[in-house]
């Protein structure tokens, strides 16, 4: 049986996030040949609709309103609910991003549905789909299926491959007028702290520092390497506790769980609580002075040495490749 | 101010995980208060100390959760409530838990509910916002700062590393992110006092709920451990050569740069 699936698209600084395209691919699989409808909410999002279609959506519904300029659970909740009521889908897919994590439980609660969060793989399709998700921050995994009613999943960035971009695909774009009102939260200010706009949970490359970085200044070479590779900087709990960096950078069982293509652990010993947050990265490089450090046990490549010698040499070598 | 904290008992972060008979093996595991819930408890105590009122810590679970509730009382919470579902529910999901919690809270005239933004075991982060929606109150997730003035609330929120300042009002549910505060350790007098603080035990019956009302919408069909990672290559030789080899491997073999 085929399902009608709606996917909430998410923009950051005027462009759709990659996780949106991954969510469309997930929706395709869940639809079992049914229709996939993109949803976009914001103050001006119509121009992004074609991109969702190029990545596999059959059509797109937009909700535009000045009160949707910033995300609020009330505003986006009202916008999404209006589209839900119009489309009455069998399934919903969101990205497991800050927005998706915040909004999906509200919608699921409103619709009295289940919600399978933070999915990293989908087995089977249509009604038979089973969803794989990490538990204990990736120390184990569970397979979950929907028992009854609306199927609702959020997918973790970087785990499900997007479909090929096809500029020739076409589809209808329609809009729903919703009076977004009675917002109980007002966003007064947004302070950007993330490096070069690359979000840690979505970054393809993460360069993370631990106690071995020794100071806030010690993160500078890591930042340079991350910027060179178009990645983001992360940290172990030890580095955050020592005030070398902000807690928003912490990777681990408390903190963020990341699955980049490349994870470079510099001066990180590999405590179990940190490893839980990064061990599912595709390729792990460990740099540590201590040859006994446990991080080497899970690394694909290891260099025993001082990160302050190794990182600058890496930067040089990578620049050579790039030029 | 009438303050509630939603708490969960979880595995210690240092625990290794093993699977026995298709379930996570809990034998001899150490349990703790979910670390994010500790921030919620600490914040609740600070808000009460500044604005007056009472802090009630609430959990849904089994009798074993009494230990973590006592810890919360020892930190400084005033009352604890354990909704024991051990005999009634075989399988519960976030829908079930949220419904139970909301049913308990619906007539409590809450001003502020705090919870962790995610539990480090299930990792879904759903129950807080679900409860807020069921109660019809506003919520803000992953907060790193909270200031209350009358019924006005100013919040700092962590959004994937960026920071938002939000204005809202009570009644409100917030979920705690790391960086909100430094949770205190229970003091010895605190531990002594906690023994005499009220800990109420309830079952679904007491909430006029039966199993069908809270039946899970999703089910876990399998639990498994990730494949053991094989030890990788420790590079050798002169440091500059190692780095050059590494970058070549990342570029040509792993194809990640």
């Amino acid at each position: 049986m085929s399902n009608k699936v709606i996917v909430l698209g998410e923009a950051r600084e005027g462009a759709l996030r990659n996780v949106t395209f991954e969510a469309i691919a997930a929706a395709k699989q869940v639809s079992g040949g049914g229709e996939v409808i993109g949803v976009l909410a914001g103050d001006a999002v119509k121009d992004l609709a074609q991109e969702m279609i190029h990545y596999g959506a059959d059509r797109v519904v937009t909700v535009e309103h000045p009160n949707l300029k910033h995300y609020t659970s009330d505003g986006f909740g009202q916008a999404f609910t209006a589209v839900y009521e119009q489309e009455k889908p069998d399934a919903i897919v969101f990205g497991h991003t800050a927005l998706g994590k915040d909004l999906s439980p509200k919608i699921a609660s409103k619709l009295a549905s289940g919600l399978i969060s933070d999915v990293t793989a989908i087995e089977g399709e249509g009604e038979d789909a089973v969803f794989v998700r990490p538990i204990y921050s990736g120390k184990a995994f569970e397979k979950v299926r929907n028992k009854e009613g609306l199927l609702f999943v959020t997918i973790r960035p970087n785990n499900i491959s997007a479909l090929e971009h096809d500029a020739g695909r076409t589809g209808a774009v329609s809009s729903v007028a919703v009076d977004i009102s009675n917002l109980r939260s007002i966003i007064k200010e947004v302070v950007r702290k993330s490096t070069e706009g690359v979000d840690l949970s979505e970054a393809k490359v993460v360069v993370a520092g631990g106690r071995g970085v020794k100071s806030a200044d010690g993160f500078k070479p890591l930042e340079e390497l991350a910027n060179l590779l178009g990645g983001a900087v992360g940290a172990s709990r030890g580095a955050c506790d020592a005030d070398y960096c902000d807690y928003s950078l912490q990777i681990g069982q408390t903190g963020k769980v990341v699955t980049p293509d490349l994870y470079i652990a510099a001066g990180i010993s590999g405590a179990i609580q940190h490893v839980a947050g990064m061990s599912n990265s595709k390729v792990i490089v460990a740099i540590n002075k201590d040859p006994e450090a446990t991080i080497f046990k899970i690394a694909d490549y290891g260099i025993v040495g001082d990160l302050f010698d190794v990182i600058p040499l890496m930067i040089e070598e990578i620049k050579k490749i790039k030029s | 101010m009438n303050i509630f904290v939603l708490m969960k008992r979880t595995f210690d972060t240092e625990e290794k995980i093993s699977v026995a008979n298709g379930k996570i093996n809990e034998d001899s595991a150490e349990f703790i208060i979910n670390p994010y819930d500790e921030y919620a408890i600490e914040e609740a105590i600070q808000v009460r100390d500044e604005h007056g009122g009472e802090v009630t810590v609430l959990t849904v679970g089994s009798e074993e959760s009494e230990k973590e509730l006592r810890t919360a009382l020892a930190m400084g919470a005033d009352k604890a409530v354990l909704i024991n579902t051990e005999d009634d529910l075989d399988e519960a999901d976030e829908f079930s838990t949220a419904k139970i919690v909301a049913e308990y809270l619906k007539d409590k005239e809450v001003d502020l509910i705090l919870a962790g933004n995610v539990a480090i075991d299930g990792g879904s982060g759903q129950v807080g916002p679900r409860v807020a929606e069921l109660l019809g109150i506003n919520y803000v997730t992953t907060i790193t700062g909270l200031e209350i003035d009358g019924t006005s609330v100013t919040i700092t929120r962590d959004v994937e590393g960026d920071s938002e300042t939000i204005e809202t009002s009570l009644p409100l549910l917030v979920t705690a992110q790391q960086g909100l505060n430094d949770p205190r350790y229970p003091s010895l007098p605190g531990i002594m006092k906690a023994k005499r603080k009220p800990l109420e035990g309830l079952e679904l019956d007491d909430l006029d709920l039966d199993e069908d009302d809270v039946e899970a919408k999703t089910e876990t069909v399998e639990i498994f451990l990730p494949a053991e990672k094989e030890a990788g290559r420790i590079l050798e030789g002169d440091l500059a050569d190692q780095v050059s080899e590494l970058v070549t491997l990342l570029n040509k073999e792993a194809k990640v740069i």
Side-chain angles (χ1 to χ4, degrees), chain A residues 10 12 16-20 22 97 156-158 198-206 232 257-260, chain B residues 160:
Chain A
E10 199 182 319
R12 192 178 164 95
L16 286 171
R17 295 178 65 167
N18 211 36
V19 68
T20 296
E22 295 165 358
T97 56
R156 178 183 292 195
N158 270 352
V198 182
D199 168 46
L200 192 51
S201 61
E202 233 183 340
K204 295 279 184 200
V205 177
V206 173
V257 178
V258 297
T259 43
Chain B
E160 292 171 348

PDB file of all heavy atoms in Angstrom, chain A residues 10 12 16-20 22 97 156-158 198-206 232 257-260, chain B residues 160:
ATOM      1  N   GLU A  10      13.539  22.655   5.895  1.00  0.00           N
ATOM      2  CA  GLU A  10      14.112  23.575   6.872  1.00  0.00           C
ATOM      3  C   GLU A  10      15.207  24.398   6.213  1.00  0.00           C
ATOM      4  O   GLU A  10      16.121  23.849   5.599  1.00  0.00           O
ATOM      5  CB  GLU A  10      14.691  22.762   8.034  1.00  0.00           C
ATOM      6  CG  GLU A  10      14.886  23.579   9.272  1.00  0.00           C
ATOM      7  CD  GLU A  10      15.511  22.766  10.396  1.00  0.00           C
ATOM      8  OE1 GLU A  10      15.140  21.589  10.595  1.00  0.00           O
ATOM      9  OE2 GLU A  10      16.376  23.319  11.067  1.00  0.00           O
ATOM     10  N   ARG A  12      18.222  27.416   6.453  1.00  0.00           N
ATOM     11  CA  ARG A  12      19.154  28.095   7.335  1.00  0.00           C
ATOM     12  C   ARG A  12      19.870  29.134   6.489  1.00  0.00           C
ATOM     13  O   ARG A  12      20.439  28.790   5.452  1.00  0.00           O
ATOM     14  CB  ARG A  12      20.149  27.085   7.915  1.00  0.00           C
ATOM     15  CG  ARG A  12      20.989  27.624   9.055  1.00  0.00           C
ATOM     16  CD  ARG A  12      21.903  26.513   9.564  1.00  0.00           C
ATOM     17  NE  ARG A  12      22.977  27.039  10.388  1.00  0.00           N
ATOM     18  CZ  ARG A  12      22.931  27.122  11.722  1.00  0.00           C
ATOM     19  NH1 ARG A  12      21.888  26.712  12.374  1.00  0.00           N
ATOM     20  NH2 ARG A  12      23.945  27.610  12.402  1.00  0.00           N
ATOM     21  N   LEU A  16      18.043  25.766   1.818  1.00  0.00           N
ATOM     22  CA  LEU A  16      17.556  24.555   2.476  1.00  0.00           C
ATOM     23  C   LEU A  16      18.731  23.773   3.060  1.00  0.00           C
ATOM     24  O   LEU A  16      19.804  23.711   2.464  1.00  0.00           O
ATOM     25  CB  LEU A  16      16.790  23.677   1.476  1.00  0.00           C
ATOM     26  CG  LEU A  16      15.411  24.203   1.093  1.00  0.00           C
ATOM     27  CD1 LEU A  16      14.853  23.386  -0.061  1.00  0.00           C
ATOM     28  CD2 LEU A  16      14.460  24.160   2.281  1.00  0.00           C
ATOM     29  N   ARG A  17      18.494  23.176   4.206  1.00  0.00           N
ATOM     30  CA  ARG A  17      19.548  22.359   4.818  1.00  0.00           C
ATOM     31  C   ARG A  17      19.567  20.990   4.159  1.00  0.00           C
ATOM     32  O   ARG A  17      18.550  20.478   3.710  1.00  0.00           O
ATOM     33  CB  ARG A  17      19.281  22.215   6.315  1.00  0.00           C
ATOM     34  CG  ARG A  17      19.370  23.538   7.039  1.00  0.00           C
ATOM     35  CD  ARG A  17      19.046  23.380   8.492  1.00  0.00           C
ATOM     36  NE  ARG A  17      20.024  22.547   9.178  1.00  0.00           N
ATOM     37  CZ  ARG A  17      20.101  22.462  10.508  1.00  0.00           C
ATOM     38  NH1 ARG A  17      19.280  23.143  11.260  1.00  0.00           N
ATOM     39  NH2 ARG A  17      21.011  21.691  11.069  1.00  0.00           N
ATOM     40  N   ASN A  18      20.743  20.398   4.152  1.00  0.00           N
ATOM     41  CA  ASN A  18      20.902  19.088   3.542  1.00  0.00           C
ATOM     42  C   ASN A  18      19.946  18.047   4.122  1.00  0.00           C
ATOM     43  O   ASN A  18      19.458  17.165   3.426  1.00  0.00           O
ATOM     44  CB  ASN A  18      22.351  18.651   3.724  1.00  0.00           C
ATOM     45  CG  ASN A  18      22.807  17.789   2.581  1.00  0.00           C
ATOM     46  OD1 ASN A  18      22.412  18.025   1.437  1.00  0.00           O
ATOM     47  ND2 ASN A  18      23.574  16.773   2.879  1.00  0.00           N
ATOM     48  N   VAL A  19      19.679  18.174   5.420  1.00  0.00           N
ATOM     49  CA  VAL A  19      18.814  17.200   6.088  1.00  0.00           C
ATOM     50  C   VAL A  19      17.418  17.188   5.457  1.00  0.00           C
ATOM     51  O   VAL A  19      16.734  16.167   5.476  1.00  0.00           O
ATOM     52  CB  VAL A  19      18.761  17.465   7.615  1.00  0.00           C
ATOM     53  CG1 VAL A  19      18.045  18.767   7.927  1.00  0.00           C
ATOM     54  CG2 VAL A  19      18.111  16.306   8.357  1.00  0.00           C
ATOM     55  N   THR A  20      17.019  18.304   4.855  1.00  0.00           N
ATOM     56  CA  THR A  20      15.724  18.353   4.169  1.00  0.00           C
ATOM     57  C   THR A  20      15.701  17.370   2.997  1.00  0.00           C
ATOM     58  O   THR A  20      14.727  16.650   2.784  1.00  0.00           O
ATOM     59  CB  THR A  20      15.435  19.789   3.681  1.00  0.00           C
ATOM     60  OG1 THR A  20      15.321  20.636   4.824  1.00  0.00           O
ATOM     61  CG2 THR A  20      14.163  19.862   2.859  1.00  0.00           C
ATOM     62  N   GLU A  22      17.633  14.766   2.677  1.00  0.00           N
ATOM     63  CA  GLU A  22      17.700  13.416   3.256  1.00  0.00           C
ATOM     64  C   GLU A  22      16.305  12.984   3.735  1.00  0.00           C
ATOM     65  O   GLU A  22      15.911  11.832   3.577  1.00  0.00           O
ATOM     66  CB  GLU A  22      18.707  13.402   4.414  1.00  0.00           C
ATOM     67  CG  GLU A  22      20.142  13.681   3.952  1.00  0.00           C
ATOM     68  CD  GLU A  22      21.105  14.033   5.091  1.00  0.00           C
ATOM     69  OE1 GLU A  22      20.686  14.101   6.265  1.00  0.00           O
ATOM     70  OE2 GLU A  22      22.288  14.258   4.792  1.00  0.00           O
ATOM     71  N   THR A  97      16.667  17.961  13.877  1.00  0.00           N
ATOM     72  CA  THR A  97      17.486  19.155  14.098  1.00  0.00           C
ATOM     73  C   THR A  97      16.911  19.870  15.313  1.00  0.00           C
ATOM     74  O   THR A  97      15.908  19.425  15.878  1.00  0.00           O
ATOM     75  CB  THR A  97      17.345  20.084  12.888  1.00  0.00           C
ATOM     76  OG1 THR A  97      15.930  20.354  12.740  1.00  0.00           O
ATOM     77  CG2 THR A  97      17.856  19.436  11.615  1.00  0.00           C
ATOM     78  N   ARG A 156      18.033  11.644  11.666  1.00  0.00           N
ATOM     79  CA  ARG A 156      19.277  12.300  12.058  1.00  0.00           C
ATOM     80  C   ARG A 156      20.048  12.749  10.818  1.00  0.00           C
ATOM     81  O   ARG A 156      20.182  11.985   9.859  1.00  0.00           O
ATOM     82  CB  ARG A 156      20.135  11.319  12.865  1.00  0.00           C
ATOM     83  CG  ARG A 156      21.468  11.934  13.255  1.00  0.00           C
ATOM     84  CD  ARG A 156      22.356  10.973  13.979  1.00  0.00           C
ATOM     85  NE  ARG A 156      21.821  10.655  15.295  1.00  0.00           N
ATOM     86  CZ  ARG A 156      22.536  10.063  16.252  1.00  0.00           C
ATOM     87  NH1 ARG A 156      23.785   9.735  16.029  1.00  0.00           N
ATOM     88  NH2 ARG A 156      22.001   9.804  17.415  1.00  0.00           N
ATOM     89  N   PRO A 157      20.546  13.988  10.820  1.00  0.00           N
ATOM     90  CA  PRO A 157      21.331  14.458   9.679  1.00  0.00           C
ATOM     91  C   PRO A 157      22.523  13.527   9.391  1.00  0.00           C
ATOM     92  O   PRO A 157      23.056  12.894  10.302  1.00  0.00           O
ATOM     93  CB  PRO A 157      21.844  15.834  10.140  1.00  0.00           C
ATOM     94  CG  PRO A 157      20.868  16.283  11.167  1.00  0.00           C
ATOM     95  CD  PRO A 157      20.397  15.024  11.844  1.00  0.00           C
ATOM     96  N   ASN A 158      22.913  13.464   8.099  1.00  0.00           N
ATOM     97  CA  ASN A 158      24.136  12.766   7.676  1.00  0.00           C
ATOM     98  C   ASN A 158      24.041  11.249   7.665  1.00  0.00           C
ATOM     99  O   ASN A 158      25.071  10.599   7.556  1.00  0.00           O
ATOM    100  CB  ASN A 158      25.324  13.116   8.584  1.00  0.00           C
ATOM    101  CG  ASN A 158      26.079  14.321   8.080  1.00  0.00           C
ATOM    102  OD1 ASN A 158      25.799  14.799   6.993  1.00  0.00           O
ATOM    103  ND2 ASN A 158      27.005  14.803   8.859  1.00  0.00           N
ATOM    104  N   VAL A 198      28.807  26.427   9.894  1.00  0.00           N
ATOM    105  CA  VAL A 198      28.647  24.972   9.764  1.00  0.00           C
ATOM    106  C   VAL A 198      28.177  24.417  11.110  1.00  0.00           C
ATOM    107  O   VAL A 198      28.846  24.556  12.123  1.00  0.00           O
ATOM    108  CB  VAL A 198      29.967  24.287   9.337  1.00  0.00           C
ATOM    109  CG1 VAL A 198      29.744  22.794   9.176  1.00  0.00           C
ATOM    110  CG2 VAL A 198      30.474  24.893   8.042  1.00  0.00           C
ATOM    111  N   ASP A 199      27.020  23.803  11.078  1.00  0.00           N
ATOM    112  CA  ASP A 199      26.452  23.270  12.308  1.00  0.00           C
ATOM    113  C   ASP A 199      27.104  21.931  12.651  1.00  0.00           C
ATOM    114  O   ASP A 199      27.258  21.061  11.807  1.00  0.00           O
ATOM    115  CB  ASP A 199      24.950  23.109  12.119  1.00  0.00           C
ATOM    116  CG  ASP A 199      24.340  22.305  13.242  1.00  0.00           C
ATOM    117  OD1 ASP A 199      24.681  22.596  14.395  1.00  0.00           O
ATOM    118  OD2 ASP A 199      23.555  21.392  12.956  1.00  0.00           O
ATOM    119  N   LEU A 200      27.449  21.802  13.926  1.00  0.00           N
ATOM    120  CA  LEU A 200      28.168  20.618  14.396  1.00  0.00           C
ATOM    121  C   LEU A 200      27.447  19.312  14.051  1.00  0.00           C
ATOM    122  O   LEU A 200      28.059  18.356  13.583  1.00  0.00           O
ATOM    123  CB  LEU A 200      28.354  20.756  15.914  1.00  0.00           C
ATOM    124  CG  LEU A 200      29.292  19.823  16.638  1.00  0.00           C
ATOM    125  CD1 LEU A 200      30.648  19.787  15.967  1.00  0.00           C
ATOM    126  CD2 LEU A 200      29.438  20.274  18.088  1.00  0.00           C
ATOM    127  N   SER A 201      26.121  19.279  14.273  1.00  0.00           N
ATOM    128  CA  SER A 201      25.419  18.010  14.081  1.00  0.00           C
ATOM    129  C   SER A 201      25.274  17.645  12.615  1.00  0.00           C
ATOM    130  O   SER A 201      24.992  16.514  12.271  1.00  0.00           O
ATOM    131  CB  SER A 201      24.042  18.064  14.749  1.00  0.00           C
ATOM    132  OG  SER A 201      23.283  19.086  14.177  1.00  0.00           O
ATOM    133  N   GLU A 202      25.487  18.611  11.717  1.00  0.00           N
ATOM    134  CA  GLU A 202      25.320  18.340  10.292  1.00  0.00           C
ATOM    135  C   GLU A 202      26.650  18.341   9.538  1.00  0.00           C
ATOM    136  O   GLU A 202      26.691  18.031   8.352  1.00  0.00           O
ATOM    137  CB  GLU A 202      24.395  19.400   9.679  1.00  0.00           C
ATOM    138  CG  GLU A 202      23.236  18.802   8.929  1.00  0.00           C
ATOM    139  CD  GLU A 202      22.378  19.870   8.278  1.00  0.00           C
ATOM    140  OE1 GLU A 202      22.447  21.045   8.691  1.00  0.00           O
ATOM    141  OE2 GLU A 202      21.646  19.532   7.363  1.00  0.00           O
ATOM    142  N   ALA A 203      27.729  18.691  10.249  1.00  0.00           N
ATOM    143  CA  ALA A 203      29.020  18.861   9.579  1.00  0.00           C
ATOM    144  C   ALA A 203      29.540  17.537   9.023  1.00  0.00           C
ATOM    145  O   ALA A 203      29.394  16.489   9.632  1.00  0.00           O
ATOM    146  CB  ALA A 203      30.029  19.448  10.556  1.00  0.00           C
ATOM    147  N   LYS A 204      30.141  17.594   7.854  1.00  0.00           N
ATOM    148  CA  LYS A 204      30.740  16.403   7.234  1.00  0.00           C
ATOM    149  C   LYS A 204      32.096  16.104   7.876  1.00  0.00           C
ATOM    150  O   LYS A 204      32.587  14.985   7.819  1.00  0.00           O
ATOM    151  CB  LYS A 204      30.939  16.628   5.729  1.00  0.00           C
ATOM    152  CG  LYS A 204      29.628  16.793   4.975  1.00  0.00           C
ATOM    153  CD  LYS A 204      28.997  15.449   4.671  1.00  0.00           C
ATOM    154  CE  LYS A 204      27.739  15.619   3.847  1.00  0.00           C
ATOM    155  NZ  LYS A 204      26.865  14.447   3.927  1.00  0.00           N
ATOM    156  N   VAL A 205      32.706  17.140   8.397  1.00  0.00           N
ATOM    157  CA  VAL A 205      33.997  16.974   9.080  1.00  0.00           C
ATOM    158  C   VAL A 205      33.915  17.636  10.453  1.00  0.00           C
ATOM    159  O   VAL A 205      33.425  18.755  10.575  1.00  0.00           O
ATOM    160  CB  VAL A 205      35.152  17.636   8.274  1.00  0.00           C
ATOM    161  CG1 VAL A 205      36.474  17.532   9.029  1.00  0.00           C
ATOM    162  CG2 VAL A 205      35.263  17.017   6.891  1.00  0.00           C
ATOM    163  N   VAL A 206      34.351  16.931  11.492  1.00  0.00           N
ATOM    164  CA  VAL A 206      34.410  17.514  12.828  1.00  0.00           C
ATOM    165  C   VAL A 206      35.834  17.388  13.350  1.00  0.00           C
ATOM    166  O   VAL A 206      36.426  16.303  13.301  1.00  0.00           O
ATOM    167  CB  VAL A 206      33.422  16.819  13.799  1.00  0.00           C
ATOM    168  CG1 VAL A 206      33.632  17.327  15.229  1.00  0.00           C
ATOM    169  CG2 VAL A 206      31.980  17.048  13.367  1.00  0.00           C
ATOM    170  N   ALA A 232      33.276  21.615  11.271  1.00  0.00           N
ATOM    171  CA  ALA A 232      32.968  22.326  12.511  1.00  0.00           C
ATOM    172  C   ALA A 232      33.888  21.828  13.620  1.00  0.00           C
ATOM    173  O   ALA A 232      34.437  20.729  13.547  1.00  0.00           O
ATOM    174  CB  ALA A 232      31.512  22.092  12.902  1.00  0.00           C
ATOM    175  N   VAL A 257      25.564  14.303  19.725  1.00  0.00           N
ATOM    176  CA  VAL A 257      25.980  13.063  19.098  1.00  0.00           C
ATOM    177  C   VAL A 257      26.178  13.372  17.625  1.00  0.00           C
ATOM    178  O   VAL A 257      25.290  13.924  16.979  1.00  0.00           O
ATOM    179  CB  VAL A 257      24.915  11.974  19.296  1.00  0.00           C
ATOM    180  CG1 VAL A 257      25.330  10.699  18.592  1.00  0.00           C
ATOM    181  CG2 VAL A 257      24.698  11.706  20.782  1.00  0.00           C
ATOM    182  N   VAL A 258      27.361  13.077  17.103  1.00  0.00           N
ATOM    183  CA  VAL A 258      27.660  13.449  15.713  1.00  0.00           C
ATOM    184  C   VAL A 258      28.072  12.219  14.910  1.00  0.00           C
ATOM    185  O   VAL A 258      28.637  11.267  15.454  1.00  0.00           O
ATOM    186  CB  VAL A 258      28.770  14.522  15.643  1.00  0.00           C
ATOM    187  CG1 VAL A 258      28.319  15.806  16.322  1.00  0.00           C
ATOM    188  CG2 VAL A 258      30.066  14.024  16.255  1.00  0.00           C
ATOM    189  N   THR A 259      27.777  12.246  13.635  1.00  0.00           N
ATOM    190  CA  THR A 259      28.164  11.154  12.739  1.00  0.00           C
ATOM    191  C   THR A 259      28.709  11.727  11.435  1.00  0.00           C
ATOM    192  O   THR A 259      28.116  11.532  10.378  1.00  0.00           O
ATOM    193  CB  THR A 259      26.966  10.224  12.435  1.00  0.00           C
ATOM    194  OG1 THR A 259      25.801  11.030  12.192  1.00  0.00           O
ATOM    195  CG2 THR A 259      26.657   9.304  13.571  1.00  0.00           C
ATOM    196  N   PRO A 260      29.808  12.458  11.509  1.00  0.00           N
ATOM    197  CA  PRO A 260      30.360  13.039  10.278  1.00  0.00           C
ATOM    198  C   PRO A 260      31.092  11.982   9.443  1.00  0.00           C
ATOM    199  O   PRO A 260      31.323  10.860   9.912  1.00  0.00           O
ATOM    200  CB  PRO A 260      31.360  14.072  10.806  1.00  0.00           C
ATOM    201  CG  PRO A 260      31.827  13.497  12.107  1.00  0.00           C
ATOM    202  CD  PRO A 260      30.635  12.778  12.687  1.00  0.00           C
TER     203      PRO A 260
ATOM    204  N   GLU B 160      21.547  24.676  18.381  1.00  0.00           N
ATOM    205  CA  GLU B 160      22.660  24.131  17.606  1.00  0.00           C
ATOM    206  C   GLU B 160      23.885  25.027  17.698  1.00  0.00           C
ATOM    207  O   GLU B 160      24.515  25.344  16.696  1.00  0.00           O
ATOM    208  CB  GLU B 160      22.224  23.912  16.158  1.00  0.00           C
ATOM    209  CG  GLU B 160      21.203  22.788  16.081  1.00  0.00           C
ATOM    210  CD  GLU B 160      20.535  22.623  14.733  1.00  0.00           C
ATOM    211  OE1 GLU B 160      20.674  23.512  13.892  1.00  0.00           O
ATOM    212  OE2 GLU B 160      19.856  21.609  14.558  1.00  0.00           O
TER     213      GLU B 160
END
